[in-house]
Amino acid sequence: MTEALKQLLPDVENISPAKERLLRVAIDLFYEKGFERTTVRDIAARAGILSGSLFHHFKSKQEILFTAMALTTRGMGEAAEKAVDGLDDPVDQLRALVLCELSHVHRDGEHAAYVLVDEWRSLDEEYREAVLAIRDTSYERCWAEALDGCAAAGLIKSDPRIARQLIRGANAWSKNWFQTDGKLTLTDLADEVLANFLTL
């Protein structure tokens, strides 16, 4: 990661409670209305502050989206690394990663992972590069190692890179149809995903 990109990244240690609250409010609104249709006034109103007060914490709505995406990506990377820790079998690694991703997508009352995918095109290019730098050194590295391991064992049905994009899309889209209180559990869904991409 270049120094210029590092300068853009939010300082996790210095995210104040007020800033965290604004991020949660903004994420909910981006999920409900979309980034483009959400205004700074909308965010401030739901947070119970004046519009001008929001700019004491963030320079712009774009910076709010970037900070939310960067923190979400970092958190998902840490979760992915924890999920595969101690697992040597690439199939077990892949199952753990699919379940980890699904768990983030379907986390009760939290929409950050969905917004990360759905509003990606709304993020300015320089901010995208910074988020991708975080993703590729942690989250996607775990996925690449698991998928490449499955490919080396002759277990994957398609190119690992293509499989990753398809799995990412399927997991994200499941937000629109999967019922967490239904008969199918997230673990069952993860097994279904694997069955569609691996020859087990």
Side-chain angles (χ1 to χ4, degrees):
M1 186 186 305
T2 66
E3 284 302 318
L5 290 181
K6 286 181 181 178
Q7 292 297 318
L8 290 175
L9 298 178
D11 183 355
V12 180
E13 303 300 325
N14 291 317
I15 298 289
S16 67
K19 207 167 186 177
E20 284 185 1
R21 183 164 178 273
L22 284 171
L23 285 170
R24 286 196 301 271
V25 166
I27 288 168
D28 287 346
L29 283 167
F30 296 158
Y31 174 74
E32 294 166 17
K33 301 176 63 173
F35 176 77
E36 295 299 335
R37 291 187 299 278
T38 299
T39 65
V40 167
R41 184 172 293 179
D42 292 333
I43 298 170
R46 185 169 292 189
I49 63 174
L50 297 174
S51 298
S53 299
L54 186 145
F55 295 110
H56 292 300
H57 303 283
F58 297 98
K59 295 176 183 177
S60 64
K61 187 176 72 165
Q62 183 66 215
E63 187 181 53
I64 295 173
L65 180 65
F66 165 63
T67 303
M69 287 188 172
L71 294 177
T72 300
T73 301
R74 181 173 289 161
M76 290 179 72
E78 291 170 353
E81 290 172 350
K82 184 177 180 180
V84 299
D85 186 39
L87 299 178
D88 297 320
D89 184 341
V91 174
D92 290 341
Q93 292 172 355
L94 188 59
R95 180 179 286 106
L97 290 170
V98 171
L99 184 56
C100 180
E101 190 162 87
L102 286 170
S103 296
H104 275 87
V105 170
H106 293 282
R107 187 169 291 169
D108 286 343
E110 292 189 22
H111 310 297
Y114 186 85
V115 169
L116 176 64
V117 175
D118 207 46
E119 294 295 343
W120 181 249
R121 292 183 182 276
S122 298
L123 196 63
D124 287 349
E125 186 176 352
E126 63 173 352
Y127 283 152
R128 279 190 220 167
E129 290 181 21
V131 174
L132 287 174
I134 299 171
R135 188 197 73 179
D136 292 345
T137 56
S138 56
Y139 194 66
E140 290 305 324
R141 177 181 54 78
C142 293
W143 278 90
E145 289 174 359
L147 286 165
D148 288 344
C150 289
L155 298 174
I156 196 164
K157 297 178 181 179
S158 61
D159 179 277
R161 305 289 84 77
I162 295 174
R164 174 59 187 129
Q165 296 302 323
L166 292 172
I167 292 171
R168 188 205 315 275
N171 287 347
W173 187 252
S174 70
K175 180 78 171 179
N176 295 298
W177 63 267
F178 181 76
Q179 300 295 320
T180 54
D181 57 354
K183 292 182 178 179
L184 198 68
T185 67
L186 281 182
T187 300
D188 295 331
L189 183 57
D191 286 338
E192 287 291 334
V193 172
L194 260 66
N196 278 277
F197 288 93
L198 300 183
T199 55
L200 298 174

